[in-house]
């Protein structure tokens, strides 16, 4: 809601199938906010798959997750995340991160 009110066009995907469908539906997103813990997928595994794709690998991914220990943060960044935001996240942190990555 907040991102839409800030002028961003958003799409939601709550599980692996919805994510993969969204990435096959034009237009491709300019940025992906990805949780680590999803009902049927591991966000780190999806991030790895995204990075292997010539098309999706060019899209910045920001992890937005409750997994906040140093090991998880380092894993996300090492796998190629452009950012890592821990929940609960302040809306200003999310907005500032998007602005920094998208201009």
């Amino acid at each position: 809601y907040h991102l839409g009110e800030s002028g961003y066009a958003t799409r939601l995907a709550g599980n692996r199938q919805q994510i993969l469908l969204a990435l096959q539906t034009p237009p491709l997103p300019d940025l992906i906010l990805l949780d680590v813990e999803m009902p049927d997928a591991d966000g780190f595994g999806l991030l790895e798959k995204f990075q292997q794709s010539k098309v999706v690998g060019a899209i910045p991914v920001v992890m937005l997750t409750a997994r906040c220990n140093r090991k998880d943060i380092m894993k996300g960044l090492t796998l190629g995340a452009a950012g890592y935001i821990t929940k609960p996240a302040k809306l200003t942190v999310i907005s500032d991160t998007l602005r920094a990555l998208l201009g």
Side-chain angles (χ1 to χ4, degrees):
Y1 174 79
H2 173 72
L3 295 176
E5 289 293 310
S6 297
Y8 294 101
T10 62
R11 290 189 277 179
L12 279 172
N15 61 43
R16 181 182 175 83
Q17 183 177 359
Q18 291 173 356
I19 292 168
L20 297 177
L21 180 61
L23 291 173
Q24 295 172 1
T25 306
L28 284 174
D30 294 317
L31 183 136
I32 299 170
L33 289 174
L34 181 64
D35 201 341
V36 173
E37 297 176 10
M38 291 174 278
D40 63 348
D42 170 44
F44 291 134
L46 287 174
L47 177 60
E48 278 187 291
K49 290 195 182 303
F50 294 166
Q51 295 302 314
Q52 294 169 3
S53 167
K54 290 181 181 177
V55 176
V56 180
I59 301 169
V61 176
V62 175
M63 306 306 289
L64 178 60
T65 180
R67 301 270 296 265
C68 60
N69 68 51
R70 183 177 176 84
K71 180 181 172 187
D72 288 327
I73 295 169
M74 292 307 298
K75 183 175 183 177
L77 296 174
T78 300
L79 290 173
Y84 198 104
I85 301 171
T86 58
K87 295 177 186 176
K90 292 184 178 186
L91 295 175
T92 55
V93 171
I94 296 170
S95 295
D96 290 349
T97 300
L98 296 183
R99 204 172 304 110
L101 290 170
L102 297 174

